[in-house]
Amino acid sequence: MATSANILVLLKFFASKQGNAVIDYTSFSSYLKKYAEHHVSEQPALIEYLSDPVPPLQRELDKLQELRQIFIVNTTPTKQAIIVIPFFTDLFTERYKDLLANPAQPYPSELDLPKTIPTDILVRQNAADLLSRLLDKPESGEKILYGLSMANDMPTVILPSQVPAETLVAVSLAKLRLLLSKGDHHDYFRKKMTISNPGREVSAKNFFNNFADKAEAGMEMLKNAGDTFYLWTQLCYFIRQDYEKIKEYTIEDVSRLQAVHIIEIAANYYKNRAQANQQKQSALQQLEDQLKKPPYYYTLDGITKFKDQKGELLLGQYSEEELKNFLHAKSTESSGTALPELLIFKAQGSDQRYFIFKEKVMNLVVRLASDARTVVRETITKHWNQVLMQYDTLPEMKDQAAFEARLEQEVKTQEPILHALLNASFLPVVDTETTETTEGHVPFFYNGVLIPYSDILLMNRSELFTDARIILPFWYTFPVVSWIAKLLFRPSKNKRNVKQKNSAELYREAEAEKRREESMEAEIAKNPSINKKVALRESARLAEQELVPQTSTLDRELESYRRQWNHLLGKIESQNLTEDVNSLIRDYLRKCMRTFKTTSLTVDRIRSIAETLVKAPGMQRIKESDALNMYIQLYLIKLIKNVPM
């Protein structure tokens, strides 16, 4: 709400010239008209004050009064006066400078205002509310006079808005220190503090001495109250308790009680701030811990949905800006030439950014490569067999370069995250660091170049070709017979090498078909029991969509995580361990199924069950608890999806 000409500056100048905050309305309007006549060429906005200055002046004064910069009063029925509030803000600001030098002086109060000045010029607020707000976020706007309403009907303390709240607290500490530095008071209150803290006498004594003997220590001690918050409140209580016994207060007594009240407010504020900061740091630590859990790579949207152990969102315990600052710091700050802790990558053809901790990169690459090997081998073998069945061949069957290109394309399609990591600019550095620090690690790069995909996936072109041929009908192995059959039965060119759907696409199509069939069955049956089971299955599928990547399937993810936590080499021993874990999960699920509601089966509920099972005594011997946790979640989904109708 800006004024057309800076009337407030002229009001302050006029008030300082006459040495009084109260300005006669008529005198100022006359002054304004003369000022406009002399300066209109320099300030064209003054032109409206040349003829009759009262109407435009009144408009500006209304705006200033709304901003609490002036106050208009009627000194007589026909005479108005303007009270220029910045005149007092400047005056009381100087008083606070004097108070810092001489804390024995009383606080500025409403009693210091001239009797002709109404106390309505003060913006009255509760001292606790105002100080907490100003300590949290200092104001930088117009000059305002605050009136701090104190406890126990103590006089209102005046605080100009340009005086930082910390200055008021510093003055209060200086007043209290002045009291405690005197001989009798010093020994008396120190003795009360030590007697009242049995077992902590030394801490109480050191706290008291540091505050009373070191002028510069008070503010720092208060800001870092932490464990000493109780001692601050205790000291203030003892002082207030002694002064409340006095029947008639002197100005000095009132000033000390006001100081105690202000210090209690400040101590409580800094305690709450420390607790909030501790909670925020704890939430950020939980965020970091969750980023280091499977599947190890997360989008920003996924990170914002992280929850703590109580099931509450972590976002809220820290702000969105603090989250972005945390991720930025982790992904940019590093020592020397080392990579930062948190790395960012994108899948080809997508703008989606993924975050992953550097220490987890190679673990994820190895796991995804192991998963990709099974599905890529199956896909290529099946495709080659179909091509051979059509009496045709592909370049990749004979040419190694074409075979490597096919492998890369399959990885890009079936495991886009693996493909993105293998082509990430940071992977050569991470691979080198891992090779140097981890015994037995096989490097993925040779002379800075990624090794062939056939080596990454441990695939041999000749073996795949043999596998594809070995399942052909026997007559394909006889050259003459196969040549004649080729002439007779080979499909036309446009029907050969039709692009096949991958396993993930076929899986999701089958799931969609199952969903439609179940919905129809439930609609036909109209049975509450069947409807509940259909709803549970649907809830499980929704959870599956969140936990299983679009390019994978539930069984593939289960097998992947099983290999991570089940390290037994013997086939029978490995199968027995898996079956033991599965049995434990099934038994626990049977108990939970009695209390399941269709609305309660969420990802959070599944994670909660998994957390409980991971901590079960029978699971404690399995070291890879994170992988086991993910396995349990996925196995629970599989069981619920297959609940018999």
Side-chain angles (χ1 to χ4, degrees):
M1 191 181 292
T3 54
S4 56
N6 204 337
I7 300 300
L8 184 59
V9 173
L10 296 177
L11 285 168
K12 289 165 62 178
F13 175 75
F14 196 80
S16 62
K17 187 177 180 182
Q18 67 178 24
N20 194 339
V22 183
I23 296 174
D24 180 67
Y25 191 105
T26 306
S27 299
F28 181 73
S29 60
S30 300
Y31 165 76
L32 180 60
K33 183 176 181 179
K34 292 179 182 178
Y35 182 86
E37 291 171 351
H38 284 83
H39 297 88
V40 68
S41 59
E42 304 166 9
Q43 303 178 47
L46 294 171
I47 194 170
E48 60 180 341
Y49 301 105
L50 292 176
S51 54
D52 183 6
V54 175
L57 173 61
Q58 186 60 49
R59 289 196 300 271
E60 302 302 325
L61 293 179
D62 290 342
K63 296 176 184 178
L64 290 172
Q65 187 164 5
E66 189 176 341
L67 292 170
R68 308 290 299 209
Q69 297 300 295
I70 64 166
F71 197 83
I72 300 177
V73 294
N74 294 320
T75 55
T76 67
T78 58
K79 191 175 183 181
Q80 284 187 320
I82 306 168
I83 301 174
V84 184
I85 295 177
F87 181 90
F88 288 111
T89 60
D90 293 340
L91 178 67
F92 289 122
T93 298
E94 292 299 318
R95 281 280 300 276
Y96 274 95
K97 292 180 181 178
D98 296 338
L99 270 170
L100 284 171
N102 182 15
Q105 298 180 42
Y107 292 101
S109 73
E110 57 185 343
L111 301 176
D112 294 326
L113 292 171
K115 294 181 179 180
T116 57
I117 303 297
T119 57
D120 290 341
I121 69 170
L122 300 176
V123 179
R124 295 180 182 274
Q125 290 194 26
N126 179 274
D129 295 338
L130 179 63
L131 285 179
S132 296
R133 178 166 62 83
L134 294 179
L135 286 169
D136 192 50
K137 188 177 180 182
E139 292 190 351
S140 58
E142 300 290 349
K143 296 179 179 179
I144 300 172
L145 272 183
Y146 287 114
L148 278 69
S149 300
M150 309 295 287
N152 301 324
D153 297 324
M154 287 184 285
T156 299
V157 172
I158 292 178
L159 179 69
S161 59
Q162 66 261 46
V163 175
E166 283 193 9
T167 300
L168 176 62
V169 177
V171 167
S172 303
L173 289 169
K175 285 179 175 292
L176 208 60
R177 183 178 170 277
L178 185 64
L179 168 69
L180 299 177
S181 62
K182 296 179 180 179
D184 293 341
H185 287 103
H186 183 279
D187 297 338
Y188 171 70
F189 284 110
R190 184 174 66 178
K191 186 176 181 180
K192 287 194 79 169
M193 290 287 290
T194 52
I195 291 174
S196 301
N197 290 277
R200 298 181 60 196
E201 293 89 347
V202 175
S203 298
K205 184 178 179 180
N206 290 339
F207 164 79
F208 186 90
N209 290 338
N210 285 336
F211 173 59
D213 300 339
K214 299 177 183 178
E216 71 285 351
M219 197 66 187
E220 193 63 29
M221 288 173 64
L222 189 63
K223 284 185 177 181
N224 300 305
D227 296 336
T228 62
F229 170 74
Y230 172 74
L231 298 175
W232 276 111
T233 55
Q234 194 178 54
L235 177 61
C236 290
Y237 171 75
F238 288 149
I239 296 171
R240 188 174 65 253
Q241 187 182 48
D242 272 32
Y243 273 88
E244 284 175 350
K245 297 175 184 177
I246 301 173
K247 293 184 178 180
E248 295 185 7
Y249 291 136
T250 64
I251 294 175
E252 190 178 36
D253 295 337
V254 172
S255 185
R256 287 170 180 169
L257 282 172
Q258 289 172 324
V260 166
H261 185 54
I262 291 169
I263 291 171
E264 285 179 321
I265 293 171
N268 190 60
Y269 165 79
Y270 287 119
K271 181 203 72 168
N272 291 337
R273 191 176 74 171
Q275 288 178 341
N277 187 60
Q278 184 177 4
Q279 183 184 26
K280 181 182 72 176
Q281 294 303 321
S282 174
L284 290 173
Q285 183 59 51
Q286 290 184 60
L287 165 67
E288 183 173 336
D289 293 341
Q290 290 198 39
L291 282 169
K292 293 180 180 179
K293 291 182 178 180
Y296 304 132
Y297 61 97
Y298 297 92
T299 63
L300 181 60
D301 183 58
I303 292 172
T304 59
K305 296 177 182 176
F306 282 174
K307 296 183 179 181
D308 60 16
Q309 295 175 347
K310 298 178 181 178
E312 297 177 359
L313 282 173
L314 291 176
L315 184 61
Q317 299 177 40
Y318 46 73
S319 67
E320 193 170 331
E321 183 180 356
E322 287 169 337
L323 170 61
K324 290 180 179 179
N325 290 339
F326 171 83
L327 295 175
H328 178 74
K330 288 288 184 181
S331 59
T332 55
E333 297 176 3
S334 62
S335 57
T337 58
L339 288 171
E341 290 183 80
L342 193 65
L343 303 173
I344 303 172
F345 67 94
K346 290 182 180 180
Q348 191 170 339
S350 172
D351 292 331
Q352 188 71 268
R353 297 196 310 164
Y354 294 94
F355 296 85
I356 182 171
F357 267 91
K358 179 174 64 174
E359 63 193 76
K360 299 297 182 182
V361 170
M362 297 315 299
N363 290 345
L364 181 59
V365 169
V366 171
R367 179 176 78 82
L368 293 179
S370 178
D371 296 346
R373 181 180 187 278
T374 303
V375 66
V376 170
R377 184 184 184 88
E378 180 183 341
T379 300
I380 293 178
T381 302
K382 184 177 179 181
H383 181 222
W384 283 7
N385 177 258
Q386 291 174 348
V387 171
L388 292 172
M389 287 282 288
Q390 296 171 352
Y391 306 98
D392 203 356
T393 59
L394 295 172
E396 63 208 45
M397 297 176 179
K398 305 294 183 182
D399 182 57
Q400 186 63 27
F403 178 65
E404 296 292 345
R406 172 66 187 274
L407 289 178
E408 182 177 2
Q409 183 58 41
E410 287 296 332
V411 169
K412 184 178 177 182
T413 303
Q414 310 260 25
E415 289 287 359
I417 299 301
L418 174 60
H419 185 266
L421 286 170
L422 291 175
N423 290 275
S425 58
F426 56 74
L427 190 64
V429 181
V430 176
D431 186 53
T432 302
E433 292 179 1
T434 306
T435 304
E436 293 173 352
T437 57
T438 305
E439 186 177 352
H441 172 72
V442 179
F444 280 77
F445 288 83
Y446 181 74
N447 290 333
V449 179
L450 183 69
I451 62 176
Y453 276 82
S454 57
D455 291 340
I456 295 173
L457 301 177
L458 302 176
M459 287 189 189
N460 184 282
R461 178 175 53 80
S462 300
E463 289 180 1
L464 258 66
F465 187 62
T466 301
D467 291 343
R469 285 182 51 129
I470 204 168
I471 55 179
L472 290 171
F474 72 92
W475 60 82
Y476 279 79
T477 59
F478 295 101
V480 177
V481 177
S482 63
W483 180 79
I484 296 172
K486 178 178 179 181
L487 293 176
L488 296 174
F489 304 113
R490 187 182 188 188
S492 60
K493 188 174 182 181
N494 59 349
K495 293 183 179 181
R496 284 178 285 165
N497 295 329
V498 177
K499 180 176 174 55
Q500 300 293 318
K501 293 181 179 179
N502 59 42
S503 58
E505 292 172 334
L506 294 171
Y507 172 76
R508 276 164 179 74
E509 287 180 2
E511 286 296 307
E513 182 61 30
K514 285 182 184 177
R515 187 177 303 174
R516 285 193 295 270
E517 291 176 359
E518 289 173 4
S519 299
M520 291 176 63
E521 289 178 13
E523 184 66 27
I524 294 170
K526 296 295 184 181
N527 186 318
S529 176
I530 293 177
N531 285 333
K532 179 182 177 181
K533 291 175 180 177
V534 170
L536 283 173
R537 286 183 174 186
E538 182 62 24
S539 298
R541 288 193 179 98
L542 292 174
E544 179 186 0
Q545 289 176 8
E546 185 169 339
L547 295 176
V548 177
Q550 284 294 313
T551 55
S552 186
T553 66
L554 181 59
D555 288 335
R556 276 169 54 188
E557 293 299 304
L558 273 168
E559 180 60 21
S560 174
Y561 286 113
R562 186 199 65 79
R563 288 198 299 268
Q564 289 185 65
W565 61 262
N566 191 340
H567 297 305
L568 296 182
L569 297 178
K571 184 177 180 180
I572 296 176
E573 290 81 359
S574 177
Q575 289 175 346
N576 289 341
L577 176 58
T578 302
E579 183 54 33
D580 289 344
V581 170
N582 291 348
S583 297
L584 184 60
I585 299 171
R586 289 195 297 269
D587 292 342
Y588 191 81
L589 180 61
R590 288 192 192 97
K591 299 176 184 177
C592 295
M593 285 292 287
R594 300 168 189 164
T595 59
F596 269 167
K597 295 181 180 179
T598 55
T599 56
S600 67
L601 185 60
T602 62
V603 173
D604 291 335
R605 179 79 168 110
I606 291 171
R607 283 173 177 158
S608 176
I609 296 173
E611 287 287 344
T612 303
L613 284 168
V614 166
K615 295 175 183 176
M619 300 285 200
Q620 292 300 304
R621 63 188 178 121
I622 299 176
K623 296 181 180 179
E624 299 291 340
S625 58
D626 290 341
L628 177 61
N629 189 309
M630 285 298 298
Y631 177 85
I632 294 172
Q633 293 180 45
L634 296 172
Y635 192 66
L636 285 168
I637 290 173
K638 182 175 181 178
L639 291 174
I640 297 169
K641 279 177 57 180
N642 292 284
V643 171
M645 298 292 283

